[in-house]
Amino acid sequence: MLRLNFAHLPQHEQKLYQLIASALAVGFVVGLLWVLLGFSDQRSATENEWQASVLPQTDDAAAQFIVVSQKPRWFTEAGAAIAAAPAEDPLKALEGKPESLRLTGLVAKGDKTYALFLPLIAPAGSTTKPAIRQLTEGDTLVGDWVVKHISHNQVEIQQGNETQTLKMYQPKAK
């Protein structure tokens, strides 16, 4: 019956099936010869390196339970001391320095120029946002720092003989 169905196939399909059957037969014969002639990739039984299994010693569960249950693992006195230490506020170090204020704008009104500063540190006990400070030449910025000169893109401040220049952000020239 199979032969009758095979005969009804087109000639090119018959050749294809014959080639597939021939390739399978050749592959089987080559594989059989490979194994029988000893070209196998497996080593012989005498070459295998057999090792005895080694089991670890059993753990003493009772001793481990005693160690774990006697010592607190998560909450220790050292941990409580670390948690109780107050975190230092990085802005506290800026108090009384010009860096405690950010130059946010320069405004010309009539013949006067004003520098607008935003405090980075909120006043103690205040719950509202710090207000922008509007200063002109001669006004006290913070501590002993005085606004010496205001130009179109920077403010010069002075404390005694020390002078600093605070610049506004300037976009790069194209």
Side-chain angles (χ1 to χ4, degrees):
M1 175 132 179
L2 182 61
R3 196 169 264 309
L4 291 176
N5 289 340
F6 186 74
H8 292 295
L9 291 175
Q11 190 68 26
H12 67 278
E13 287 184 16
Q14 287 179 11
K15 284 188 177 188
L16 177 67
Y17 287 124
Q18 287 173 349
L19 282 173
I20 290 173
S22 299
L24 285 173
V26 168
F28 177 75
V29 169
V30 169
L32 186 63
L33 286 174
W34 188 269
V35 171
L36 291 176
L37 293 176
F39 294 121
S40 174
D41 60 345
Q42 294 182 0
R43 292 188 283 184
S44 65
T46 57
E47 294 177 17
N48 285 339
E49 298 161 4
W50 181 84
Q51 294 179 356
S53 298
V54 177
L55 297 176
Q57 288 183 339
T58 57
D59 292 332
D60 185 9
Q64 289 180 353
F65 176 76
I66 291 170
V67 169
V68 171
S69 62
Q70 287 180 350
K71 233 183 199 182
R73 293 286 174 203
W74 306 108
F75 303 103
T76 62
E77 292 78 24
I82 291 171
E88 291 186 25
D89 186 11
L91 296 178
K92 279 288 189 191
L94 296 177
E95 223 170 89
K97 296 181 181 178
E99 293 84 12
S100 66
L101 299 168
R102 180 185 303 151
L103 179 60
T104 58
L106 299 168
V107 178
K109 186 176 181 184
D111 60 340
K112 280 195 159 203
T113 305
Y114 297 95
L116 304 177
F117 289 94
L118 179 65
L120 296 176
I121 305 170
S126 174
T127 59
T128 61
K129 285 186 173 181
I132 292 180
R133 295 180 54 196
Q134 179 178 320
L135 304 173
T136 188
E137 292 178 3
D139 290 345
T140 301
L141 180 66
V142 64
D144 293 334
W145 289 93
V146 177
V147 176
K148 200 70 176 159
H149 179 69
I150 301 173
S151 65
H152 71 284
N153 68 343
Q154 65 186 20
V155 176
E156 191 175 298
I157 58 174
Q158 184 175 10
Q159 177 187 27
N161 293 333
E162 187 179 355
T163 304
Q164 285 187 12
T165 303
L166 307 172
K167 292 187 177 187
M168 283 292 298
Y169 168 76
Q170 293 293 315
K172 291 182 181 179
K174 292 182 181 180

